[in-house]
Amino acid sequence: GENVEQHPSTLSVQEGDSAVIKCTYSDSASNYFPWYKQELGKRPQLIIDIRSNVGEKKDQRIAVTLNKTAKHFSLHITETQPEDSAVYFCAAISDGTPLVFGKGTRLSVIA
Amino acid sequence: DTGVSQNPRHKITKRGQNVTFRCDPISEHNRLYWYRQTLGQGPEFLTYFQNEAQLEKSRLLSDRFSAERPKGSFSTLEIQRTEQGDSAMYLCASGHRGQGYTFGSGTRLTVV
């Protein structure tokens, strides 16, 4: 089955700097890669996703890149703000299967 | 629809007791998923339904766990003879095949 590795497990950045979180997956059939943000005590919320037919997707300060050959994808957050502090999870899915999540990255944005 | 609803939000139970959680998904979503999340970990898949059919169960789901989705609407997750290791956040999510999910707020179970 699919296995998703995520790193780093913790990341601290200064406000205004960029943050990058990386994930690798094992199943070459995986074709959908969402990213979730989970604030303390709250539900995971989908923030951006990418499909395997696209190499990059951007939404304001958030972007995701996908390298199918290397089987890795990354989340990029630019101009970080204190409200970006949360745990971020990557996930992967092949058509019809349940999402497999990484273990999460705790991002701290220091004002 | 205001989203995925889960009840109760918190449950404290004594070891050996049975507990049941409920999830009401977004009505137009035909898939409903149960995940378990422990502190510092990502959500771990337990089981999922497409309409009323239970399509897959994780090996994490012991015989003490059972889930139902009668009529393809709400779902229940029952844990029998609870153990301390069952303490976790139980998350329900709904969505469509091959797409991202919408999660509920979860039920936090504490077994004492």
Side-chain angles (χ1 to χ4, degrees):
Chain A
E2 177 64 276
N3 182 51
V4 176
E5 300 284 339
Q6 181 172 351
H7 50 93
S9 56
T10 60
L11 178 61
S12 291
V13 299
Q14 292 289 328
E15 182 178 359
D17 287 351
S18 296
V20 181
I21 302 170
K22 298 182 179 181
C23 290
T24 60
Y25 61 98
S26 60
D27 187 352
S28 57
S30 288
N31 57 7
Y32 176 68
F33 308 91
W35 286 87
Y36 286 82
K37 175 183 180 182
Q38 188 174 30
E39 297 177 57
L40 191 63
K42 296 191 176 180
R43 71 187 77 191
Q45 291 196 300
L46 179 67
I47 56 171
I48 195 167
D49 55 14
I50 191 167
R51 296 197 178 272
S52 58
N53 58 347
V54 175
E56 183 173 359
K57 184 177 178 180
K58 192 172 182 181
D59 182 5
Q60 300 182 349
R61 297 186 296 108
I62 295 173
V64 57
T65 58
L66 172 65
N67 182 326
K68 284 193 302 181
T69 303
K71 290 192 278 191
H72 65 70
F73 56 113
S74 300
L75 178 71
H76 305 252
I77 305 174
T78 59
E79 300 171 21
T80 52
Q81 301 168 3
E83 52 265 38
D84 294 329
S85 296
V87 179
Y88 292 81
F89 295 99
C90 62
I93 189 174
S94 60
D95 192 32
T97 64
L99 280 174
V100 176
F101 287 84
K103 292 188 183 299
T105 296
R106 181 174 298 280
L107 173 65
S108 299
V109 179
I110 303 163
Chain B
D1 266 313
T2 56
V4 178
S5 176
Q6 290 189 247
N7 288 289
R9 291 293 305 274
H10 304 275
K11 178 71 177 179
I12 299 174
T13 190
K14 291 183 178 179
R15 190 173 50 187
Q17 297 293 305
N18 300 342
V19 294
T20 300
F21 312 141
R22 177 179 170 127
C23 172
D24 289 89
I26 293 172
S27 57
E28 57 263 34
H29 289 168
N30 61 0
R31 288 201 168 187
L32 185 150
Y33 304 85
W34 286 99
Y35 281 77
R36 180 169 66 189
Q37 187 177 28
T38 53
L39 200 61
Q41 299 295 316
E44 294 178 303
F45 168 72
L46 294 178
T47 188
Y48 85 99
F49 295 82
Q50 178 160 302
N51 301 315
E52 66 274 11
Q54 189 172 18
L55 295 189
E56 187 175 340
K57 292 195 294 186
S58 164
R59 273 171 269 179
L60 290 176
L61 214 64
S62 77
D63 292 344
R64 298 183 297 105
F65 288 69
S66 61
E68 294 182 340
R69 193 185 182 195
K71 303 177 185 176
S73 56
F74 71 93
S75 176
T76 58
L77 178 68
E78 181 183 16
I79 310 174
Q80 296 182 324
R81 306 180 304 280
T82 51
E83 302 172 356
Q84 286 191 319
D86 297 331
S87 296
M89 175 73 84
Y90 289 84
L91 292 165
C92 175
S94 68
H96 290 296
R97 175 184 170 127
Q99 297 182 4
Y101 310 158
T102 300
F103 279 92
S105 295
T107 294
R108 181 169 296 284
L109 173 66
T110 302
V111 182
V112 298

Coordinates of all heavy atoms in Angstrom, one line a residue, chain B residues 1-5 22-32 49-52 69-75 92-96 102:
Chain B
D1 N -26.2 22.6 4.1 CA -25.2 21.8 4.9 C -24.2 22.8 5.5 O -23.6 23.6 4.8 CB -24.5 20.9 4.0 CG -25.2 19.5 4.0 OD1 -25.5 19.0 5.1 OD2 -25.5 19.0 2.9
T2 N -23.9 22.6 6.7 CA -22.8 23.4 7.3 C -21.5 22.6 7.4 O -20.6 23.1 8.0 CB -23.2 23.8 8.7 OG1 -23.6 22.7 9.5 CG2 -24.5 24.7 8.6
G3 N -21.5 21.4 7.0 CA -20.2 20.6 7.0 C -20.5 19.3 7.6 O -21.6 18.8 7.8
V4 N -19.4 18.6 8.0 CA -19.5 17.3 8.6 C -19.7 17.4 10.1 O -18.9 18.2 10.8 CB -18.2 16.5 8.3 CG1 -18.3 15.1 9.0 CG2 -18.0 16.3 6.8
S5 N -20.6 16.8 10.7 CA -21.0 16.9 12.1 C -20.7 15.6 12.8 O -21.0 14.5 12.4 CB -22.5 17.3 12.2 OG -22.8 17.3 13.6
R22 N -21.2 9.1 16.4 CA -22.0 9.4 15.2 C -21.4 10.4 14.3 O -20.8 11.4 14.8 CB -23.4 9.8 15.6 CG -24.3 10.2 14.4 CD -25.7 10.6 14.9 NE -26.4 11.1 13.7 CZ -27.6 10.7 13.4 NH1 -28.2 9.7 14.0 NH2 -28.2 11.2 12.3
C23 N -21.5 10.2 13.0 CA -21.0 11.2 12.0 C -22.2 11.5 11.0 O -22.7 10.5 10.5 CB -19.8 10.6 11.3 SG -19.3 11.7 9.9
D24 N -22.4 12.7 10.8 CA -23.4 13.2 9.8 C -22.5 13.9 8.7 O -22.0 14.9 8.9 CB -24.4 14.1 10.3 CG -25.4 13.4 11.2 OD1 -25.2 13.2 12.4 OD2 -26.4 12.9 10.6
P25 N -22.4 13.2 7.5 CA -21.6 13.8 6.5 C -22.3 14.9 5.7 O -23.5 15.2 5.9 CB -21.4 12.6 5.5 CG -22.6 11.8 5.7 CD -23.1 12.0 7.1
I26 N -21.6 15.6 4.8 CA -22.2 16.5 3.9 C -23.1 15.7 2.9 O -22.7 14.6 2.4 CB -21.1 17.3 3.1 CG1 -20.4 18.2 4.0 CG2 -21.7 18.1 1.9 CD1 -19.2 18.8 3.5
S27 N -24.3 16.1 2.8 CA -25.4 15.2 2.2 C -25.0 14.8 0.8 O -25.4 13.7 0.3 CB -26.7 15.9 2.2 OG -26.7 17.1 1.6
E28 N -24.4 15.7 0.0 CA -24.1 15.3 -1.4 C -22.9 14.4 -1.6 O -22.6 13.9 -2.7 CB -24.0 16.5 -2.3 CG -23.0 17.5 -1.9 CD -23.6 18.6 -1.1 OE1 -24.5 18.4 -0.3 OE2 -23.0 19.8 -1.2
H29 N -22.1 14.2 -0.5 CA -21.0 13.3 -0.6 C -21.4 11.8 -0.4 O -22.1 11.5 0.5 CB -20.0 13.7 0.5 CG -19.3 14.9 0.3 ND1 -18.5 15.6 1.3 CD2 -19.2 15.7 -0.8 CE1 -18.0 16.7 0.8 NE2 -18.4 16.8 -0.4
N30 N -20.9 11.0 -1.3 CA -21.3 9.6 -1.2 C -20.3 8.7 -0.5 O -20.6 7.6 -0.1 CB -21.6 9.0 -2.6 CG -20.3 9.0 -3.5 OD1 -19.2 9.5 -3.1 ND2 -20.5 8.5 -4.7
R31 N -19.1 9.3 -0.2 CA -18.1 8.6 0.6 C -18.0 9.1 2.0 O -18.0 10.3 2.2 CB -16.8 8.5 -0.2 CG -16.8 7.7 -1.4 CD -15.5 7.3 -1.8 NE -15.5 6.2 -2.9 CZ -14.5 5.6 -3.4 NH1 -13.3 5.8 -2.9 NH2 -14.7 4.6 -4.3
L32 N -17.9 8.2 2.9 CA -17.7 8.6 4.3 C -16.5 7.8 4.9 O -16.5 6.6 4.7 CB -19.0 8.3 5.1 CG -19.0 8.8 6.6 CD1 -20.4 9.1 7.0 CD2 -18.4 7.7 7.5
F49 N -16.9 4.1 3.7 CA -18.2 3.6 3.0 C -18.4 4.4 1.7 O -18.1 5.6 1.6 CB -19.4 3.9 3.9 CG -19.4 3.1 5.2 CD1 -18.7 3.6 6.3 CD2 -20.2 2.0 5.3 CE1 -18.7 2.9 7.5 CE2 -20.2 1.3 6.5 CZ -19.5 1.7 7.6
Q50 N -18.9 3.7 0.8 CA -19.5 4.4 -0.4 C -21.0 4.1 -0.4 O -21.4 2.9 -0.4 CB -18.9 3.9 -1.7 CG -19.5 4.5 -2.9 CD -18.7 4.5 -4.2 OE1 -17.5 4.9 -4.2 NE2 -19.2 3.9 -5.2
N51 N -21.8 5.1 -0.2 CA -23.2 5.0 0.1 C -23.3 4.1 1.4 O -22.6 4.4 2.4 CB -23.9 4.5 -1.1 CG -23.8 5.4 -2.3 OD1 -23.9 6.6 -2.1 ND2 -23.5 4.9 -3.4
E52 N -24.0 3.0 1.3 CA -24.2 2.2 2.5 C -23.2 1.0 2.6 O -23.1 0.3 3.6 CB -25.6 1.6 2.7 CG -26.0 0.7 1.6 CD -26.6 1.4 0.3 OE1 -26.4 2.6 0.2 OE2 -27.1 0.7 -0.5
R69 N -23.3 2.3 8.2 CA -23.8 3.5 7.5 C -25.2 3.1 6.9 O -25.3 3.0 5.7 CB -22.9 4.1 6.5 CG -23.3 5.5 6.0 CD -22.4 6.0 4.9 NE -22.8 7.3 4.5 CZ -22.4 7.9 3.3 NH1 -21.6 7.2 2.5 NH2 -22.8 9.1 3.1
P70 N -26.2 3.0 7.8 CA -27.5 2.6 7.3 C -28.1 3.6 6.3 O -27.9 4.8 6.6 CB -28.3 2.4 8.5 CG -27.6 3.3 9.5 CD -26.2 3.2 9.2
K71 N -28.6 3.2 5.2 CA -29.3 4.0 4.2 C -28.3 5.0 3.6 O -28.7 6.0 3.0 CB -30.4 4.8 4.9 CG -31.5 3.9 5.5 CD -32.6 4.7 6.2 CE -33.6 3.8 6.9 NZ -34.6 4.5 7.6
G72 N -27.0 4.8 3.8 CA -26.1 5.7 3.1 C -26.0 7.1 3.6 O -25.6 8.0 2.9
S73 N -26.6 7.4 4.8 CA -26.6 8.8 5.3 C -25.5 8.9 6.4 O -24.3 8.9 6.2 CB -28.0 9.2 5.7 OG -28.5 8.2 6.7
F74 N -26.0 9.0 7.7 CA -25.1 9.1 8.8 C -24.4 7.8 9.0 O -24.8 6.7 8.5 CB -25.8 9.5 10.1 CG -26.7 8.5 10.6 CD1 -26.3 7.6 11.6 CD2 -28.0 8.3 10.2 CE1 -27.1 6.6 12.1 CE2 -28.9 7.3 10.7 CZ -28.4 6.5 11.7
S75 N -23.3 7.8 9.8 CA -22.6 6.6 10.1 C -22.3 6.6 11.7 O -22.3 7.6 12.3 CB -21.2 6.6 9.4 OG -20.4 5.5 9.8
C92 N -14.2 11.9 11.4 CA -15.0 11.4 10.3 C -14.8 12.4 9.2 O -14.6 13.6 9.4 CB -16.5 11.4 10.7 SG -17.6 11.0 9.4
A93 N -14.8 12.0 7.9 CA -14.7 12.9 6.8 C -15.6 12.4 5.7 O -16.0 11.2 5.6 CB -13.3 12.9 6.3
S94 N -16.0 13.3 4.8 CA -16.8 12.9 3.7 C -16.3 13.5 2.4 O -15.6 14.5 2.5 CB -18.3 13.2 3.9 OG -18.6 14.6 3.9
G95 N -16.6 12.9 1.3 CA -16.1 13.4 0.0 C -16.5 12.6 -1.1 O -17.4 11.7 -1.0
H96 N -16.0 12.8 -2.3 CA -16.2 12.0 -3.5 C -14.9 11.3 -3.8 O -13.8 11.7 -3.5 CB -16.6 12.9 -4.6 CG -18.0 13.5 -4.4 ND1 -19.2 12.7 -4.4 CD2 -18.4 14.8 -4.3 CE1 -20.2 13.5 -4.2 NE2 -19.8 14.8 -4.1
T102 N -13.7 16.6 3.4 CA -14.0 17.6 4.5 C -14.2 16.8 5.8 O -14.9 15.8 5.9 CB -15.4 18.2 4.1 OG1 -15.3 18.9 2.9 CG2 -15.7 19.3 5.2

